[in-house]
């Protein structure tokens, strides 16, 4: 280390000292559990005592487990559906909201749309259960038309649509807010020049707003790609014996094997495969969207 770097460290030592607690937090609660889990994935399933080396047996067991394979399908269907709907509905919502000229009305709509994102999945699941229960709001509404009550939460045909719709309801306000902030940062002189040239509002949206949102679109797509294989909370609060086969995801599989069945090696192998899949998929999305290019 040369003298110039030493002088810079001494000059900004207070910032390096402030960074130490953050580094310790990530070492203790992120990197250590990660490497510990990676080691356990190559060991036999034992809670106490020595864990003999098992090689790739846990990975072979996981990859040959029909429940794990079904979880992959469920995760991909739910994850891709969420990714597409979050992105396009949030973009559409932000574009429509941007056309609202009344300030108080616009802020009120933003607040109402964003509010569900502040609640935990346990609260969201409870609200969703109240809405779609046998005596819920939906069945009460259908009752006015003489329709028999539908047990949405225990009917397999509604399992995935309900999970996907619940995620959209909770998250669309958050992603729409990201788009809205990006729209607000567009240079207003571009709109003034377009109006002088006689461009309609639709042309301004197509030629100015949408192209200006490309960096934000790339960021949101990459963020959404990270969560494609990692759905857990909403699944955990809504899963039941009737819909388990259609909504059980990879992380629920890991949780049930590791926490409920004490198969730590198998669960660690499953979690490692989920991590590898997430890294590969995110890298692919970054490449396809040319995220790292200006």
């Amino acid at each position: 280390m040369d003298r110039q770097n030493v002088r810079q460290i001494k000059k900004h030592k207070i910032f390096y000292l402030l960074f130490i607690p953050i580094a310790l937090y990530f070492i203790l609660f992120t990197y250590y559990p990660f490497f510990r889990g990676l080691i356990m994935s190559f060991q036999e399933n034992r809670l106490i005592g020595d864990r003999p080396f098992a090689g790739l047996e846990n990975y072979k067991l996981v990859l040959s487990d029909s429940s794990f394979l079904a979880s992959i399908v469920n995760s991909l269907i739910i994850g891709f559906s969420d990714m597409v709907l979050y992105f396009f509905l949030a973009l559409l919502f932000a574009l429509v909201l941007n056309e609202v000229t009344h300030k108080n009305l616009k802020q009120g709509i933003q607040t109402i749309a964003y509010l569900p994102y502040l609640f935990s999945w346990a609260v969201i699941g409870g609200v969703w259960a109240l809405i779609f229960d046998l005596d819920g709001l939906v069945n009460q509404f259908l009752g006015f038309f003489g329709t028999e009550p539908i047990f949405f939460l225990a009917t397999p045909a509604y399992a995935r649509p309900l999970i996907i719709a619940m995620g959209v309801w909770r998250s669309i306000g958050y992603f729409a807010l990201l788009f809205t902030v990006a729209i607000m940062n567009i240079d207003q002189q571009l709109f003034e020049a377009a109006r002088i040239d006689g461009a309609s509002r639709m042309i301004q949206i197509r030629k100015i707003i949408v192209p200006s949102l490309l960096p934000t679109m790339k960021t949101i797509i990459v963020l959404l790609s990270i969560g494609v294989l990692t759905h857990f909370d909403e699944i955990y609060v809504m899963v039941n014996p009737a819909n388990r086969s259609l909504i059980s995801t990879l992380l629920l599989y890991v949780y049930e094997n590791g926490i409920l069945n004490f198969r730590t090696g198998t669960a660690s192998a499953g979690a490692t495969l989920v991590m590898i899949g997430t890294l590969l998929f995110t890298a692919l999305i970054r490449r396809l969207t040319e995220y790292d290019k200006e």
Side-chain angles (χ1 to χ4, degrees):
M1 184 180 296
D2 55 31
R3 294 181 179 180
Q4 185 177 358
N5 289 335
V6 173
R7 285 197 299 269
Q8 289 295 323
I9 292 175
K10 289 182 179 180
K11 180 180 179 180
H12 303 290
K13 61 182 179 181
I14 184 64
F15 297 105
Y16 288 100
L17 292 175
L18 291 173
F19 180 73
I20 291 177
I22 300 174
L24 290 175
Y25 171 85
F26 281 101
I27 291 172
L28 291 175
F29 298 105
T30 301
Y31 296 110
Y32 173 75
F34 165 72
F35 287 109
R36 185 60 181 165
L38 185 61
I39 293 172
M40 289 173 61
S41 69
F42 295 100
Q43 297 175 332
E44 292 185 9
N45 294 307
R46 291 189 182 182
L47 288 177
I48 57 176
D50 295 333
R51 296 187 178 92
F53 180 72
L56 297 176
E57 289 302 316
N58 289 321
Y59 290 92
K60 293 178 181 178
L61 180 62
V62 168
L63 292 174
S64 62
D65 189 349
S66 59
S67 297
F68 182 79
L69 299 179
S71 297
I72 294 177
V73 175
N74 293 335
S75 295
L76 291 175
I77 293 174
I78 295 173
F80 275 121
S81 299
D82 282 349
M83 183 177 178
V84 172
L85 292 175
Y86 287 7
F87 179 82
F88 286 105
L89 292 181
L91 177 59
L92 178 62
F93 182 67
L95 292 175
V96 173
L97 189 62
N98 186 58
E99 300 306 306
V100 178
T101 56
H102 194 286
K103 183 178 179 180
N104 291 335
L105 177 61
K106 184 176 182 178
Q107 291 179 346
I109 296 174
Q110 283 180 324
T111 302
I112 294 173
Y114 181 76
L115 195 61
Y117 192 77
L118 301 177
F119 298 139
S120 68
W121 279 112
V123 175
I124 297 296
V127 172
W128 218 243
L130 289 175
I131 294 174
F132 290 97
D133 198 6
L134 277 175
D135 299 324
L137 295 177
V138 174
N139 277 315
Q140 289 181 19
F141 175 77
L142 294 176
F144 290 120
F145 302 96
T147 304
E148 291 294 325
I150 302 173
F151 200 173
F152 291 98
L153 302 178
T155 304
Y158 296 105
R160 287 173 181 161
L162 283 180
I163 287 293
I164 294 169
M166 183 172 69
V168 171
W169 179 64
R170 179 180 184 267
S171 302
I172 188 175
Y174 169 75
F175 291 105
L177 181 62
L178 298 181
F179 281 123
T180 301
V181 172
I183 293 174
M184 293 172 60
N185 289 328
I186 299 175
D187 188 353
Q188 295 301 310
Q189 293 182 356
L190 296 175
F191 296 103
E192 294 176 6
R195 284 192 292 267
I196 293 173
D197 291 339
S200 66
R201 188 57 182 170
M202 286 302 299
I203 293 178
Q204 293 178 38
I205 293 174
R206 286 175 34 235
K207 300 295 185 179
I208 298 176
I209 296 180
V210 173
S212 299
L213 291 179
L214 285 178
T216 304
M217 291 180 184
K218 291 181 181 181
T219 301
I220 290 177
I221 289 175
V222 171
L223 290 175
L224 290 173
S225 68
I226 298 174
V228 167
L229 298 178
T230 57
H231 287 273
F232 173 74
D233 294 359
E234 65 269 43
I235 306 299
Y236 180 76
V237 299
M238 295 295 289
V239 70
N240 59 60
N243 62 21
R244 174 177 294 275
S245 62
L246 292 172
I247 68 171
S248 179
T249 55
L250 289 167
L251 290 191
L252 185 66
Y253 174 89
V254 171
Y255 167 78
E256 291 178 341
N257 274 274
I259 304 299
L260 301 183
N261 299 327
F262 306 110
R263 298 167 61 188
T264 55
T266 304
S268 298
T272 302
L273 291 174
V274 173
M275 181 200 66
I276 294 173
T278 299
L279 289 175
L280 292 176
F281 181 68
T282 304
L284 176 62
I285 293 297
R286 287 174 67 103
R287 186 177 183 87
L288 292 176
T289 58
E290 299 182 340
Y291 178 79
D292 299 307
K293 293 184 180 181
E294 294 293 337

